[in-house]
Amino acid sequence: MISHELQAPLCARQVLARAVRTVRWLLAAALLLLGAQAAAAADYECKGGAELPSFSANDLRDLKVTGTCRVRIGVKSYFANVNILDGGILLFRESGGPARSRTDFWASSIIIENRGAMVADGGQKSAAYGLNGGTLTIHLYGKNEAQWDAALQKFTTQNVGAICKSGPNNRFNKPQGPCGVDLDIWNSNGSAPVKLPIDDDKNVPITDYFYQYGPLRGDERCTDGSIFTNGKCASPAAKVGYFGSKVLAVSFGGALNLNGFKGSADEGSKADNDPTYSGMSWMRLDDGTHLPNDMSPPNSPELLFLERDPGAKWQEGDEIVVTSTDYLPSHSEKLRIVNYKGGQIVPFHAVESSTGKIQWRHNAVRYGGPADAAAKRWTARLPDRIKDNLDADLVANGAETRAAVALLTRSIQIVSAGDKVDEDFRPESTHYSYGAHMVVRQGAYSVQIQGVEFRQMGQGGRLAHYPVHFHMARKTAGNTYIKDSSINESMTRWIVIHSTQGVTLARNVGYKSMGHGFYLEDGTETDNKFYSNIGIYARAAVKSAKQNPRMIPGILADNQDPKSFTDKNSKNIANPGFPYRSDVENPTVFWIANGWNDFIGNMAAGAGACGAAYWLVPAANMNMTDVSDGNDGMMKWSGYAALQKDRTYAGTTPLRSFYRNYATTAMHSCRASNASGNTPVL
């Protein structure tokens, strides 16, 4: 028993202890309050009316755009997640800024939600960004948290994708679902056709089945830590991202309008009216001027001669690539323009050569054409009955075998950064391949992209994470296009059109894909237009320091040991090489899963391994819904999109048009069989 003499001091100590605990609790509460206030301050809402503040890399904030917010030109701006919604416009406008400005905008993600828009232009009617010499670079950064277990064939850890921030009601107090999708449209989930808030190219409102979004593979972790299953997270309050991370995303009702100057055709020019004309984006060497040549002055940069003057659309310091014309696809060469003042003669420095000189011969003579040797003018030897049935240009000018020269640099650049803000994309020696990606989903109000460079984009070996990806967008708004743009050194594919209709791809340059390049994915893609695009070097996903220096795995790259297929204890399923190893064995520049599309004036220049320039693939529809609609889990289609409904009808859609397409430096020019067959079309 404690004596009274000792009790008083003990009570005092207890009071003191309680006081200390109270002070500590109050201090902790104050710190929590300050932390909450700091967290609140970290989110910045731009309601319009003023220029967007330029926050530093040490003061990262989420940005919510709900008004017209103009980004300051000529400075660096840093943000975490950016959400544009409910009347918000994120505007990059070159006019009013300094000449030859450089603007850098850093974000970990950008999501354009319903009634949101992101615009980049020159400021005047039809004026392009870069007309005043400026460059806009959008850097997307972020770290991959997903872990794939090859033995289990599943993700053991997944990313939390970027989250939409639209509330339960829009500014007109109308109920809405995730990402601002009208609630009644979201809840329809394929049960019946609905009217979407977009018009076709004749200004007629589009009616279609709408299917609820689900997360992309590897990005299925919800904000409560659970995995998105059967259309929901474990907690009703939790959210999931529908676009992945390190992403530029266009959601239902969102608009993305980017208009860059370099390499772009002027509005109303020949390029808009002639699908075989590649404009200022890429062109051929002038007939009769091989590369290298002996026309360069001593101790001066080498010269190449173009078939036409690109004008101000090509400038000093820009990067270009000249295509291989021999048997090796790796012989396409990247060059940098130097001391250039315009015209058809372009001085250059070879970027990948230790001497700065061109390394390989690039043909610049049309076979049998006016500049070829007289003995090779084969058309002169043909009887009239044959010549009268040949293309007039072929008879007069010979076969087109000249190298092409394509512009990589553009005035607007969307580039992959590293894991964190202000960190550039890591070098090849690190084998880093977690790039940024762009995805467009169903109901997007407007996607019009011209004069943009997508550099080192795509997430290596990851399904559905490509540089440019129309992901189950189905019927797109009228005049949806990507034109005069470049996809420069992709981590996986170039442009993927997946269960999507009505997109125009014109005069785009794809350089160094991993696996297939321009890719129609699932057999339901119809009414898309491929006009004068060029794909340069579809690389095989093989273990090769030269062809695949980042050691990126292919998506269609089944690398199981064939012996395991006969092991009765193995869970491996035997399959033919096609298509399951085609990213490794048969990388294809234009992969065509449905023929009912237009292919005019395109060029395929180089495919690795046993690859192909064009492949009309015997595909069957493989378009499962993200979230079960309560039926068979397959989307509903009509017309030629529905024809290849199963393996019985695989590859039965006809080619809508296939005219004046070119191929070089590939084992197969054009195929219409699986890999085990021997049925080359051309």
Side-chain angles (χ1 to χ4, degrees):
M1 185 173 179
I2 301 175
S3 69
H4 290 285
E5 289 78 12
L6 295 174
Q7 190 69 32
L10 180 60
C11 290
R13 287 197 299 270
Q14 289 174 331
V15 171
L16 180 61
R18 289 194 191 102
V20 170
R21 287 197 298 270
T22 301
V23 170
R24 286 175 177 168
W25 183 88
L26 289 171
L27 181 60
L31 289 172
L32 285 172
L33 180 60
L34 289 172
Q37 291 172 341
D43 295 335
Y44 181 82
E45 181 173 358
C46 181
K47 299 180 180 181
E51 203 169 50
L52 184 67
S54 301
F55 296 108
S56 72
N58 297 320
D59 186 21
L60 286 178
R61 305 172 183 225
D62 286 345
L63 172 63
K64 184 177 179 181
V65 180
T66 55
T68 300
C69 301
R70 183 167 176 173
V71 177
R72 190 173 300 169
I73 299 303
V75 302
K76 292 184 178 181
S77 299
Y78 297 90
F79 292 95
N81 298 295
V82 177
N83 294 75
I84 311 167
L85 60 147
D86 211 10
I89 302 174
L90 186 63
L91 179 61
F92 300 87
R93 180 153 284 171
E94 186 186 22
S95 63
R100 304 191 66 81
S101 62
R102 180 184 174 103
T103 302
D104 294 274
F105 188 88
W106 288 75
S108 61
S109 68
I110 302 174
I111 302 179
I112 308 168
E113 303 180 39
N114 198 4
R115 290 174 291 276
M118 184 168 121
V119 178
D121 61 22
Q124 303 169 0
K125 183 180 179 182
S126 302
Y129 196 107
L131 181 63
N132 199 29
T135 300
L136 167 63
T137 305
I138 297 171
H139 308 258
L140 295 169
Y141 66 91
K143 185 178 181 181
N144 178 34
E145 303 286 352
Q147 297 293 327
W148 174 259
D149 189 310
L152 298 176
Q153 288 292 289
K154 69 176 186 179
F155 285 99
T156 54
T157 305
Q158 301 210 40
N159 292 314
V160 177
I163 303 296
C164 288
K165 292 190 176 179
S166 293
N169 295 284
N170 63 20
R171 64 173 58 194
F172 306 109
N173 208 32
K174 183 176 180 180
Q176 55 188 14
C179 305
V181 180
D182 295 351
L183 189 59
D184 53 349
I185 293 178
W186 181 268
N187 289 337
S188 69
N189 196 28
S191 60
V194 295
K195 183 182 287 187
L196 300 175
I198 53 177
D199 297 340
D200 63 17
D201 54 5
K202 297 180 181 178
N203 297 320
V204 176
I206 290 176
T207 298
D208 192 12
Y209 293 96
F210 178 86
Y211 293 91
Q212 290 181 10
Y213 302 165
L216 304 182
R217 283 176 59 86
D219 302 313
E220 300 174 64
R221 185 153 53 102
C222 301
T223 53
D224 63 357
S226 66
I227 300 300
F228 187 82
T229 307
N230 296 326
K232 57 187 178 182
C233 303
S235 168
K239 294 183 178 182
V240 74
Y242 300 111
F243 310 97
S245 54
K246 206 170 184 177
V247 64
L248 169 59
V250 189
S251 184
F252 180 98
L256 178 62
N257 299 95
L258 307 177
N259 183 12
F261 177 74
K262 285 186 179 179
S264 292
D266 294 328
E267 187 176 9
S269 67
K270 178 181 178 181
D272 282 343
N273 302 304
D274 182 358
T276 67
Y277 183 65
S278 58
M280 302 298 113
S281 187
W282 65 276
M283 58 194 71
R284 305 275 184 169
L285 291 174
D286 197 26
D287 200 11
T289 59
H290 293 298
L291 189 64
N293 52 61
D294 57 3
M295 303 177 193
S296 304
N299 303 316
S300 298
E302 287 188 282
L303 304 175
L304 61 80
F305 295 76
L306 298 173
E307 64 178 344
R308 56 181 175 269
D309 180 1
K313 299 301 178 77
W314 293 27
Q315 298 176 12
E316 183 172 348
D318 290 349
E319 288 190 341
I320 56 178
V321 57
V322 58
T323 61
S324 173
T325 54
D326 59 29
Y327 295 99
L328 294 175
S330 61
H331 283 183
S332 291
E333 299 187 65
K334 185 187 289 187
L335 316 174
R336 180 174 291 109
I337 299 174
V338 297
N339 303 329
Y340 180 60
K341 305 302 180 185
Q344 289 177 252
I345 304 174
V346 181
F348 67 86
H349 174 89
V351 175
E352 295 160 336
S353 167
S354 59
T355 64
K357 302 292 186 181
I358 205 79
Q359 298 180 83
W360 316 107
R361 186 180 187 276
H362 301 270
N363 179 61
V365 174
R366 294 181 65 138
Y367 179 69
D372 206 352
K376 294 182 180 179
R377 294 177 191 165
W378 54 277
T379 54
R381 302 193 299 269
L382 296 175
D384 289 343
R385 62 183 176 80
I386 295 179
K387 284 195 289 187
D388 290 346
N389 289 284
L390 291 176
D391 181 89
D393 180 68
L394 178 64
V395 173
N397 297 309
E400 182 57 273
T401 54
R402 293 175 294 166
V405 186
L407 182 69
L408 296 175
T409 304
R410 309 287 160 148
S411 300
I412 300 174
Q413 302 166 356
I414 301 175
V415 306
S416 296
D419 284 354
K420 56 188 179 182
V421 69
D422 233 4
E423 179 183 73
D424 290 334
F425 200 66
R426 297 177 188 174
E428 291 178 345
S429 59
T430 66
H431 297 174
Y432 186 82
S433 64
Y434 188 66
H437 65 118
M438 175 185 145
V439 61
V440 179
R441 300 212 63 162
Q442 187 178 7
Y445 181 78
S446 174
V447 177
Q448 296 182 341
I449 297 173
Q450 186 170 20
V452 175
E453 177 186 355
F454 299 89
R455 191 189 317 143
Q456 295 177 317
M457 298 271 285
Q459 295 178 359
R462 183 76 62 83
L463 188 70
H465 297 74
Y466 313 116
V468 179
H469 181 200
F470 290 85
H471 181 58
M472 299 194 291
R474 295 180 62 90
K475 295 179 180 179
T476 58
N479 209 23
T480 294
Y481 61 75
I482 300 177
K483 300 177 181 178
D484 300 313
S485 295
S486 69
I487 305 91
N488 184 357
E489 194 196 336
S490 164
M491 302 299 109
T492 296
R493 315 250 186 275
W494 288 319
I495 300 178
V496 173
I497 296 180
H498 175 199
S499 295
T500 297
Q501 302 168 343
V503 176
T504 295
L505 303 182
R507 306 180 299 275
N508 298 299
V509 176
Y511 179 55
K512 285 189 176 181
S513 74
M514 185 49 60
H516 307 307
F518 296 105
Y519 192 78
L520 292 171
E521 185 167 342
D522 263 358
T524 55
E525 300 81 16
T526 62
D527 301 295
N528 300 291
K529 297 177 174 62
F530 290 75
Y531 292 162
S532 291
N533 303 285
I534 185 170
I536 305 169
Y537 200 8
R539 297 176 293 172
V542 294
K543 191 174 182 180
S544 164
K546 182 164 185 164
Q547 187 164 175
N548 185 8
R550 294 183 185 273
M551 298 301 167
I552 299 171
I555 292 174
L556 296 172
D558 178 6
N559 56 4
Q560 300 171 84
D561 183 353
K563 295 179 181 178
S564 68
F565 298 145
T566 58
D567 183 351
K568 64 180 181 180
N569 297 316
S570 174
K571 296 181 180 180
N572 291 341
I573 300 172
N575 57 59
F578 176 87
Y580 302 105
R581 291 192 296 274
S582 58
D583 276 330
V584 175
E585 298 174 352
N586 315 108
T588 300
V589 179
F590 291 88
W591 178 274
I592 308 168
N594 188 304
W596 199 248
N597 299 279
D598 295 315
F599 293 88
I600 301 175
N602 301 287
M603 181 175 180
C610 303
Y614 306 88
W615 200 326
L616 182 58
V617 179
N621 296 358
M622 300 172 63
N623 41 44
M624 298 181 66
T625 60
D626 280 347
V627 177
S628 175
D629 60 359
N631 297 309
D632 61 1
M634 301 294 287
M635 288 185 174
K636 301 179 182 73
W637 298 95
S638 61
Y640 282 113
L643 181 58
Q644 298 175 168
K645 60 183 179 180
D646 56 39
R647 291 294 179 190
T648 304
Y649 297 93
T652 56
T653 52
L655 275 168
R656 180 169 170 172
S657 64
F658 194 89
Y659 174 66
R660 285 204 175 185
N661 298 296
Y662 301 90
T664 184
T665 320
M667 178 173 284
H668 305 283
S669 56
C670 186
R671 298 197 66 168
S673 68
N674 61 28
S676 60
N678 292 301
T679 321
V681 178
L682 297 174

